[in-house]
Amino acid sequence: MKKKFRIKQEKEFREIMQLKNSFANRHLIIYIRHHNQYHHPRVGLSVGKKLGNAVKRNQVKRYLRQAMQGVFAELPPDIDIILIARPQAANLSYYEMEKNLHHVLRLADIWKDKQ
């Protein structure tokens, strides 16, 4: 994901999370802020140490980034999203992670499945 599509600063994470506009399933939590000033979607990832060692955390981040690539073009153009992986996400395969991401995006009503 290009730099301009990422949320990296703790201040921005806090601002988005303080809005308390969140949706969750067993494996992921998503926080949303509509109407950013950048006119393109941005995504921040958070994977805590409870999830496992560095290798496992990096694997989960890779899976999440790859799954986001598949839906990124279909997201609203002015939205900020923070994805937080719960500890149970450590045991998911890529396809299960993708399925959980799609589920939580549908819960948030920001992505429609093409079925």
Side-chain angles (χ1 to χ4, degrees):
M1 208 175 312
K2 291 184 181 179
K3 265 191 179 182
K4 69 178 188 175
F5 300 126
R6 292 189 223 153
I7 301 171
K8 295 291 275 183
Q9 295 181 349
E10 182 185 348
K11 178 184 172 191
E12 289 185 285
F13 269 76
R14 258 190 276 120
E15 288 173 358
I16 295 168
M17 292 173 77
Q18 283 177 350
L19 295 175
K20 296 185 177 163
N21 189 11
S22 67
F23 302 88
N25 62 18
R26 288 185 191 143
H27 304 288
L28 298 172
I29 304 169
I30 186 172
Y31 285 89
I32 298 168
R33 175 174 63 183
H34 294 279
H35 310 298
N36 69 23
Q37 70 259 22
Y38 299 100
H39 306 295
H40 57 75
R42 297 186 317 148
V43 178
L45 299 177
S46 177
V47 179
K49 288 189 176 183
K50 286 184 180 180
L51 203 120
N53 62 15
V55 173
K56 185 50 92 171
R57 292 193 307 269
N58 287 331
Q59 179 188 37
V60 169
K61 285 189 273 188
R62 280 194 311 272
Y63 286 172
L64 284 172
R65 271 192 233 108
Q66 186 63 36
M68 277 304 293
Q69 285 296 121
V71 299
F72 198 78
E74 300 167 31
L75 293 175
D78 60 346
I79 194 165
D80 288 340
I81 299 171
I82 294 184
L83 285 169
I84 300 173
R86 290 184 166 170
Q88 300 90 332
N91 304 321
L92 297 179
S93 70
Y94 168 73
Y95 296 105
E96 292 169 328
M97 184 71 73
E98 186 178 43
K99 185 177 173 185
N100 276 282
L101 177 65
H102 291 175
H103 176 251
V104 78
L105 289 173
R106 280 193 305 272
L107 286 176
D109 201 27
I110 57 172
W111 185 72
K112 303 288 188 260
D113 211 352
K114 291 183 179 178
Q115 289 185 4

